[in-house]
Amino acid sequence: MERRVVKVGLLGLGTVGSGVVKMLRQNSEELAQKCGYEIEIQRILVRDLDKKRGVEVDRALLTRDVRDILDDANIQVVIEVMGGEGETRDIVLESLLSGKHVITANKDLIALHGAHLHHAADSQNVELLYEAAVAGAIPIVRVLKQSFAGDNVREVMGIVNGTTNYILSKMTQENASYEDALREAQALGYAEADPHADVSGLDAARKMAILASISMRQAVPLADVKLQGIEGVTSEDVAEAKALGQVIKLIGRARREGDSIEVSVSPMRLPEEHPLAKVNDSFNAVYVYADALGEAMLYGRGAGEMPTASAVVGDLHAVLRGRKFAAGQLELIARWA
Amino acid sequence: MERRVVKVGLLGLGTVGSGVVKMLRQNSEELAQKCGYEIEIQRILVRDLDKKRGVEVDRALLTRDVRDILDDANIQVVIEVMGGEGETRDIVLESLLSGKHVITANKDLIALHGAHLHHAADSQNVELLYEAAVAGAIPIVRVLKQSFAGDNVREVMGIVNGTTNYILSKMTQENASYEDALREAQALGYAEADPHADVSGLDAARKMAILASISMRQAVPLADVKLQGIEGVTSEDVAEAKALGQVIKLIGRARREGDSIEVSVSPMRLPEEHPLAKVNDSFNAVYVYADALGEAMLYGRGAGEMPTASAVVGDLHAVLRGRKFAAGQLELIARWA
C-alpha cells in the first residue's frame, strides 16, 4: 500500500528544531507505520541561511520568507519552535486560520495568547497542540486533556522550572548560598546570564497559567497568577526548614476555590515525605488531585533538546491520528474528486 | 446544534462498572462538550438482574443476554468490566469483529489475548483501549503509546501491584513480618483471602507483559515473563537492605537487550534515593527510560472503583475523539445516504 505523505513546515532551527529534525529522521519508518503517513519536512524558516546548525539539512529546505510556508497549501502541519510571541503569534494565527494544524513548544505564546489561538483553531477544526511548552517531555498536557477528561481536577501542584529547582536543591543538599547556587547553575547552562525570568517565578507562572487553563477548563490569564520568586530565599530559610523536616521548593499551584480559580507561584515548605519534596536538580514534576482519580504525579526532564523534541514529535503523532486531521484529509479528497 | 448520541454497551456492573455509570452521569454535560457526542448507556450485561448495585440503574437497561449488546447495531462502543478471559475473550472478539470499539479494564484478557484482539481491531479499523488494565488511573498506556511515539523506549520499571507494595512498605516502615503485613493487607481489603495472584508476582507479570508489548512494540507473551514473588522476603532481608540504605520493592522490568526483550518481575533492592524507592503503600508507579526523553515517572493509585472508572472514561473520550471513530461515523452516514 502506498503511504500518503504529510508535509510539515518547521518554524525555527535552533536547539529544539534541530532535535525535531533528528528525531523525524531517526524514527521515520516507525513513525510512518504508527501514523499511517510519511512525514516530510517541506520548508524550514530560519533567520540566517548560513548559520551552523546542530543537524545537517538540505539548504534548499531553508527559507527566510515565512510566506513560503504560509502560502504553501501542501503544508498541512506547522511546527513552531522559533520562540517569541509578537510576530510569532501572527504567524501561528495565520497558519491556523488557513487550516494548518499547529504544534508549538512556545510557553509564552500559549500563556499570553492561548485562548485567542484556540478559538482560531476551533473555527477551522484544526489542532493546536503544545505538549513541549510545559515541563518539557513530561506528558502533562496530554494527560490533563485526555486521561482526566471525565474527571474533575481540584488542584494541580508543580515544580515546573528546572533552574530554580536546581538552585534550591543545591542550597538544600550542600548548604550553598543563593548566590553560589545561582552561579553554579549559570556555569552549567541551567540558568541564563540574566536569570530574571526563572528566579522571579515568571517562567513558572506562564506554565502554571497554561496548566490551570487546561485542567480547570477555563482560560486563566497570566496576569491573574500570583507570583513570588526565589531571590529572597536564604540559606538560613533552607536550614530552618530542614531542621523541621521540610524542604523549600518553588511550587506552582492552581486550585478551584468555589467558582474561582486561584493560581500562584511561590517558594513553599513541603514535608520531606511529600512526593514533590524529592524532585531534585533540574527535574520537573506535576502533582494532580482529581475527584475520581485521587492523586497522581508525573515526573521527568523539564527541558533539553531531545526531551523537548520528543514532546513535539509526540504531538505530531497525535495530530496525524486525530479526527480533525482525518476530517481535513476527507475534505481534500472531496475537493480533488 | 443538535448533538449526536453515541450508544454504549456495558459488560458488567460490579465495582468498576458502577463507577463508570456514576462518572458518566456526573460529568455527562462536560463530556458531551469535549467529545462532541452525548454518551448513552444502551444496555448493561449482568449475571443477576436482582443484585443490589453500587449505583441506581433503570432495570430495563439490564440484560443477562449478551446478544442484546452484540446484535445491537446501534451500540458503537463496548466497555468490558466483567473480568475473566475465556467467554469474555469471545465476546470482546465478536464485538471488535462486528465493528464496535472496545474499552476494557481487564489485564488478564489483554496479557493473554492482546495480540489476537489487536489484530481483530485493526482488521475492522476500530479501537481497542485498556488504560484501566495497568496501574489503574496512572495514564501509562496512553503515555507510552502516544507521547513516546517518536522515541525509543529502552527500559520500563514499575511498581504495578498495590498489594505487594503495601506489604513490603509495612515490612520496611514497621519492621512487620511478611505474615503480619499480609494479614493487615487482607484486613484492609488490599489483599484477597487467597493472595496467590498478587504475592506470587503473577498480577504484576500480566501488567508487565502489557507494558512491555506497548513500549517495545512487539508482543511479549505472559509465558516469557520471568517471575519471582515476595513470599520469600523476610524481615531480616528488609532490615539488611535498610542497613545498606536500600529498600526492597517488587519491581517489574522490561528491557531491550539487543534484539530481544527481557521482562521480569522480582523483589529488588533499590537505593533509597531511587524515585521508585519512595513509592509506598498501595501506590503504583512506572519509570520509563527512553533515548530522547531520558527518564520519566508516572505515579498514582493503582486500583479502586473511581480511579479505575476514571481511566475507562478517559479511554471513552479518546475513542470518540479518534480518527477511527470519525471514519466509522462517515461510513454510517454514507450508508444512510
PDB file of all heavy atoms in Angstrom, chain B residues 169-184:
ATOM      1  N   SER B 169       5.925  -2.217  52.103  1.00  0.00           N
ATOM      2  CA  SER B 169       6.016  -0.932  52.822  1.00  0.00           C
ATOM      3  C   SER B 169       5.865  -1.142  54.317  1.00  0.00           C
ATOM      4  O   SER B 169       6.597  -0.567  55.124  1.00  0.00           O
ATOM      5  CB  SER B 169       4.932   0.041  52.330  1.00  0.00           C
ATOM      6  OG  SER B 169       5.116   0.353  50.985  1.00  0.00           O
ATOM      7  N   LYS B 170       4.883  -1.974  54.704  1.00  0.00           N
ATOM      8  CA  LYS B 170       4.676  -2.269  56.131  1.00  0.00           C
ATOM      9  C   LYS B 170       5.908  -2.957  56.729  1.00  0.00           C
ATOM     10  O   LYS B 170       6.332  -2.650  57.824  1.00  0.00           O
ATOM     11  CB  LYS B 170       3.462  -3.201  56.310  1.00  0.00           C
ATOM     12  CG  LYS B 170       2.129  -2.512  56.165  1.00  0.00           C
ATOM     13  CD  LYS B 170       1.810  -1.643  57.363  1.00  0.00           C
ATOM     14  CE  LYS B 170       1.178  -0.346  56.827  1.00  0.00           C
ATOM     15  NZ  LYS B 170       0.947   0.648  57.864  1.00  0.00           N
ATOM     16  N   MET B 171       6.461  -3.900  55.971  1.00  0.00           N
ATOM     17  CA  MET B 171       7.644  -4.606  56.470  1.00  0.00           C
ATOM     18  C   MET B 171       8.805  -3.637  56.649  1.00  0.00           C
ATOM     19  O   MET B 171       9.598  -3.763  57.593  1.00  0.00           O
ATOM     20  CB  MET B 171       8.035  -5.737  55.499  1.00  0.00           C
ATOM     21  CG  MET B 171       7.033  -6.891  55.492  1.00  0.00           C
ATOM     22  SD  MET B 171       7.410  -8.168  54.237  1.00  0.00           S
ATOM     23  CE  MET B 171       8.863  -8.958  54.959  1.00  0.00           C
ATOM     24  N   THR B 172       8.916  -2.649  55.760  1.00  0.00           N
ATOM     25  CA  THR B 172      10.021  -1.694  55.828  1.00  0.00           C
ATOM     26  C   THR B 172       9.799  -0.656  56.922  1.00  0.00           C
ATOM     27  O   THR B 172      10.689  -0.356  57.713  1.00  0.00           O
ATOM     28  CB  THR B 172      10.182  -0.991  54.463  1.00  0.00           C
ATOM     29  OG1 THR B 172      10.351  -1.980  53.463  1.00  0.00           O
ATOM     30  CG2 THR B 172      11.363  -0.032  54.475  1.00  0.00           C
ATOM     31  N   GLN B 173       8.578  -0.097  56.944  1.00  0.00           N
ATOM     32  CA  GLN B 173       8.331   1.030  57.848  1.00  0.00           C
ATOM     33  C   GLN B 173       8.130   0.581  59.287  1.00  0.00           C
ATOM     34  O   GLN B 173       8.440   1.298  60.222  1.00  0.00           O
ATOM     35  CB  GLN B 173       7.107   1.819  57.372  1.00  0.00           C
ATOM     36  CG  GLN B 173       7.358   2.580  56.080  1.00  0.00           C
ATOM     37  CD  GLN B 173       6.063   2.970  55.379  1.00  0.00           C
ATOM     38  OE1 GLN B 173       4.970   2.587  55.808  1.00  0.00           O
ATOM     39  NE2 GLN B 173       6.176   3.733  54.311  1.00  0.00           N
ATOM     40  N   GLU B 174       7.514  -0.621  59.471  1.00  0.00           N
ATOM     41  CA  GLU B 174       7.140  -1.038  60.831  1.00  0.00           C
ATOM     42  C   GLU B 174       7.827  -2.327  61.251  1.00  0.00           C
ATOM     43  O   GLU B 174       7.419  -2.950  62.234  1.00  0.00           O
ATOM     44  CB  GLU B 174       5.614  -1.183  60.904  1.00  0.00           C
ATOM     45  CG  GLU B 174       4.909   0.138  60.599  1.00  0.00           C
ATOM     46  CD  GLU B 174       3.402  -0.039  60.427  1.00  0.00           C
ATOM     47  OE1 GLU B 174       2.889  -1.104  60.789  1.00  0.00           O
ATOM     48  OE2 GLU B 174       2.765   0.905  59.927  1.00  0.00           O
ATOM     49  N   ASN B 175       8.828  -2.725  60.475  1.00  0.00           N
ATOM     50  CA  ASN B 175       9.545  -3.976  60.772  1.00  0.00           C
ATOM     51  C   ASN B 175       8.590  -5.155  60.945  1.00  0.00           C
ATOM     52  O   ASN B 175       8.866  -6.077  61.723  1.00  0.00           O
ATOM     53  CB  ASN B 175      10.405  -3.827  62.033  1.00  0.00           C
ATOM     54  CG  ASN B 175      11.383  -2.676  61.894  1.00  0.00           C
ATOM     55  OD1 ASN B 175      12.030  -2.528  60.855  1.00  0.00           O
ATOM     56  ND2 ASN B 175      11.459  -1.837  62.919  1.00  0.00           N
ATOM     57  N   ALA B 176       7.455  -5.099  60.280  1.00  0.00           N
ATOM     58  CA  ALA B 176       6.471  -6.186  60.391  1.00  0.00           C
ATOM     59  C   ALA B 176       7.008  -7.430  59.686  1.00  0.00           C
ATOM     60  O   ALA B 176       7.825  -7.335  58.774  1.00  0.00           O
ATOM     61  CB  ALA B 176       5.152  -5.751  59.756  1.00  0.00           C
ATOM     62  N   SER B 177       6.529  -8.590  60.108  1.00  0.00           N
ATOM     63  CA  SER B 177       6.863  -9.821  59.390  1.00  0.00           C
ATOM     64  C   SER B 177       6.002  -9.894  58.139  1.00  0.00           C
ATOM     65  O   SER B 177       4.971  -9.213  58.037  1.00  0.00           O
ATOM     66  CB  SER B 177       6.591 -11.046  60.278  1.00  0.00           C
ATOM     67  OG  SER B 177       5.189 -11.197  60.449  1.00  0.00           O
ATOM     68  N   TYR B 178       6.414 -10.743  57.206  1.00  0.00           N
ATOM     69  CA  TYR B 178       5.631 -10.921  55.987  1.00  0.00           C
ATOM     70  C   TYR B 178       4.208 -11.353  56.324  1.00  0.00           C
ATOM     71  O   TYR B 178       3.229 -10.810  55.784  1.00  0.00           O
ATOM     72  CB  TYR B 178       6.308 -11.959  55.081  1.00  0.00           C
ATOM     73  CG  TYR B 178       5.465 -12.395  53.919  1.00  0.00           C
ATOM     74  CD1 TYR B 178       5.258 -11.546  52.840  1.00  0.00           C
ATOM     75  CD2 TYR B 178       4.859 -13.651  53.906  1.00  0.00           C
ATOM     76  CE1 TYR B 178       4.466 -11.933  51.772  1.00  0.00           C
ATOM     77  CE2 TYR B 178       4.067 -14.054  52.846  1.00  0.00           C
ATOM     78  CZ  TYR B 178       3.868 -13.192  51.785  1.00  0.00           C
ATOM     79  OH  TYR B 178       3.079 -13.572  50.739  1.00  0.00           O
ATOM     80  N   GLU B 179       4.072 -12.299  57.268  1.00  0.00           N
ATOM     81  CA  GLU B 179       2.760 -12.841  57.602  1.00  0.00           C
ATOM     82  C   GLU B 179       1.856 -11.764  58.197  1.00  0.00           C
ATOM     83  O   GLU B 179       0.680 -11.643  57.841  1.00  0.00           O
ATOM     84  CB  GLU B 179       2.891 -14.012  58.589  1.00  0.00           C
ATOM     85  CG  GLU B 179       3.515 -15.283  58.001  1.00  0.00           C
ATOM     86  CD  GLU B 179       5.030 -15.150  57.768  1.00  0.00           C
ATOM     87  OE1 GLU B 179       5.663 -14.253  58.397  1.00  0.00           O
ATOM     88  OE2 GLU B 179       5.576 -15.916  56.945  1.00  0.00           O
ATOM     89  N   ASP B 180       2.419 -10.953  59.117  1.00  0.00           N
ATOM     90  CA  ASP B 180       1.608  -9.901  59.744  1.00  0.00           C
ATOM     91  C   ASP B 180       1.188  -8.843  58.731  1.00  0.00           C
ATOM     92  O   ASP B 180       0.053  -8.376  58.735  1.00  0.00           O
ATOM     93  CB  ASP B 180       2.400  -9.220  60.875  1.00  0.00           C
ATOM     94  CG  ASP B 180       2.489 -10.126  62.117  1.00  0.00           C
ATOM     95  OD1 ASP B 180       1.758 -11.133  62.141  1.00  0.00           O
ATOM     96  OD2 ASP B 180       3.290  -9.808  63.021  1.00  0.00           O
ATOM     97  N   ALA B 181       2.135  -8.473  57.872  1.00  0.00           N
ATOM     98  CA  ALA B 181       1.829  -7.445  56.872  1.00  0.00           C
ATOM     99  C   ALA B 181       0.760  -7.955  55.910  1.00  0.00           C
ATOM    100  O   ALA B 181      -0.166  -7.207  55.540  1.00  0.00           O
ATOM    101  CB  ALA B 181       3.099  -7.060  56.113  1.00  0.00           C
ATOM    102  N   LEU B 182       0.845  -9.232  55.533  1.00  0.00           N
ATOM    103  CA  LEU B 182      -0.163  -9.809  54.642  1.00  0.00           C
ATOM    104  C   LEU B 182      -1.532  -9.800  55.312  1.00  0.00           C
ATOM    105  O   LEU B 182      -2.536  -9.416  54.711  1.00  0.00           O
ATOM    106  CB  LEU B 182       0.237 -11.239  54.251  1.00  0.00           C
ATOM    107  CG  LEU B 182      -0.821 -12.069  53.497  1.00  0.00           C
ATOM    108  CD1 LEU B 182      -1.236 -11.385  52.197  1.00  0.00           C
ATOM    109  CD2 LEU B 182      -0.297 -13.470  53.200  1.00  0.00           C
ATOM    110  N   ARG B 183      -1.564 -10.201  56.588  1.00  0.00           N
ATOM    111  CA  ARG B 183      -2.843 -10.210  57.305  1.00  0.00           C
ATOM    112  C   ARG B 183      -3.449  -8.817  57.356  1.00  0.00           C
ATOM    113  O   ARG B 183      -4.652  -8.630  57.189  1.00  0.00           O
ATOM    114  CB  ARG B 183      -2.651 -10.749  58.731  1.00  0.00           C
ATOM    115  CG  ARG B 183      -3.060 -12.226  58.870  1.00  0.00           C
ATOM    116  CD  ARG B 183      -3.150 -12.640  60.340  1.00  0.00           C
ATOM    117  NE  ARG B 183      -1.868 -12.488  61.025  1.00  0.00           N
ATOM    118  CZ  ARG B 183      -0.906 -13.441  61.031  1.00  0.00           C
ATOM    119  NH1 ARG B 183      -1.095 -14.577  60.394  1.00  0.00           N
ATOM    120  NH2 ARG B 183       0.221 -13.233  61.662  1.00  0.00           N
ATOM    121  N   GLU B 184      -2.610  -7.826  57.589  1.00  0.00           N
ATOM    122  CA  GLU B 184      -3.118  -6.445  57.649  1.00  0.00           C
ATOM    123  C   GLU B 184      -3.670  -6.035  56.287  1.00  0.00           C
ATOM    124  O   GLU B 184      -4.714  -5.394  56.198  1.00  0.00           O
ATOM    125  CB  GLU B 184      -1.988  -5.505  58.096  1.00  0.00           C
ATOM    126  CG  GLU B 184      -2.528  -4.197  58.638  1.00  0.00           C
ATOM    127  CD  GLU B 184      -1.411  -3.264  59.092  1.00  0.00           C
ATOM    128  OE1 GLU B 184      -0.418  -3.753  59.661  1.00  0.00           O
ATOM    129  OE2 GLU B 184      -1.544  -2.050  58.851  1.00  0.00           O
TER     130      GLU B 184
END
